[in-house]
Amino acid sequence: MKKYTHIIWDWNGTLLDDVGWCIACMNVMLKRRGLPILESVDAYHNVFGFPVKDYYSRVGFDFDKESFETLAVEYIELYDSDGSSASLFPDAKEILAEFHCGGIRQTVLSASELGNLLTQIKPFGIDIFFDEILGISDIYATGKIEIGKAYIERVKPEKAVLIGDTSHDKEAADALGIDCILVANGHQGKNTLMAVNAVIADCLLDIKDILL
């Protein structure tokens, strides 16, 4: 018997392997201001986190000189400038198809703006595996939990799990009152993820053993 009836997927860093592209975009912004760049994924993991505004502060931006809102717009413009800059993680499509065929309902819940999210997902041909794709209405990484709560209230899943790649995904799962699995090859490293009380998978392929 299936362990879960519903899977809620985070997108960036969970199904979409965009860490390298995110680092590249941030480094463009840092170079423009003469600030030290992020030299590696480990360096990125050491500073990335939520709220996103705090992450921007940790990499060196001065909000007395320019607002977080202005920086966020610049970042999104850079991120969206190359639609081929990121790809699905290995096994993502296979796993989504397997869960879909097994009758598990799947939804994407993302802190990405909904229009951008749909534009990213469609070329991969995986939208057929999702009942719903849920994103936020602005670009400032707020509202993900509220959207998730509304989804849970509306759908009332029998047994749901949120699969993500950051401690914020665990916070979201807790707020939604559901289980959480964190994949340790996205936007936060395994050491950071181990500090929260969630099941940790090293890669997407490991999730099958956990869920089925």
Side-chain angles (χ1 to χ4, degrees):
M1 188 174 73
K2 297 189 298 288
K3 187 174 181 179
Y4 294 103
T5 59
H6 292 70
I7 297 173
I8 300 174
W9 291 96
D10 173 60
W11 174 241
N12 301 88
T14 302
L15 293 171
L16 184 72
D17 184 6
D18 66 345
V19 172
W21 181 236
C22 289
I23 293 171
C25 293
M26 181 56 70
N27 281 343
V28 169
M29 294 175 62
L30 293 169
K31 287 178 181 178
R32 286 173 177 174
R33 293 158 178 84
L35 295 170
I37 66 169
L38 299 169
E39 297 282 0
S40 64
V41 173
D42 285 343
Y44 174 70
H45 283 166
N46 286 338
V47 293
F48 181 79
F50 294 88
V52 173
K53 185 174 182 179
D54 292 347
Y55 158 55
Y56 276 47
S57 179
R58 284 192 290 272
V59 296
F61 294 116
D62 185 348
F63 298 138
D64 290 331
K65 294 181 179 179
E66 52 190 337
S67 69
F68 167 65
E69 289 75 17
T70 298
L71 292 163
V73 169
E74 181 180 348
Y75 177 84
I76 292 298
E77 289 176 349
L78 286 167
Y79 185 93
D80 292 339
S81 65
D82 184 356
S84 63
S85 57
S87 60
L88 294 178
F89 276 106
D91 305 310
K93 193 168 187 176
E94 173 188 338
I95 289 169
L96 291 170
E98 183 170 343
F99 290 154
H100 179 73
C101 290
I104 300 176
R105 311 294 291 270
Q106 300 181 97
T107 296
V108 171
L109 174 63
S110 174
S112 295
E113 190 275 327
L114 181 58
N116 293 335
L117 180 61
L118 294 172
T119 298
Q120 277 192 317
I121 291 175
K122 190 172 181 59
F124 294 116
I126 59 173
D127 48 319
I128 60 173
F129 302 132
F130 302 121
D131 291 342
E132 298 188 51
I133 296 173
L134 306 173
I136 63 173
S137 58
D138 61 65
I139 64 170
Y140 304 124
T142 59
K144 180 177 179 179
I145 290 176
E146 288 72 18
I147 294 170
K149 285 181 177 179
Y151 168 81
I152 293 293
E153 177 62 25
R154 174 166 47 83
V155 176
K156 295 180 173 58
E158 180 181 342
K159 183 69 172 177
V161 60
L162 189 154
I163 301 175
D165 68 304
T166 70
S167 57
H168 180 62
D169 291 314
K170 177 60 167 61
E171 293 174 5
D174 289 346
L176 272 51
I178 62 176
D179 292 344
C180 184
I181 299 171
L182 299 178
V183 187
N185 60 355
H187 287 277
Q188 288 185 317
K190 190 169 186 178
N191 288 340
T192 298
L193 299 183
M194 289 177 66
V196 300
N197 185 25
V199 176
I200 307 295
D202 288 326
C203 63
L204 287 176
L205 199 59
D206 292 342
I207 290 175
K208 289 201 299 183
D209 294 331
I210 298 170
L211 261 61
L212 299 181

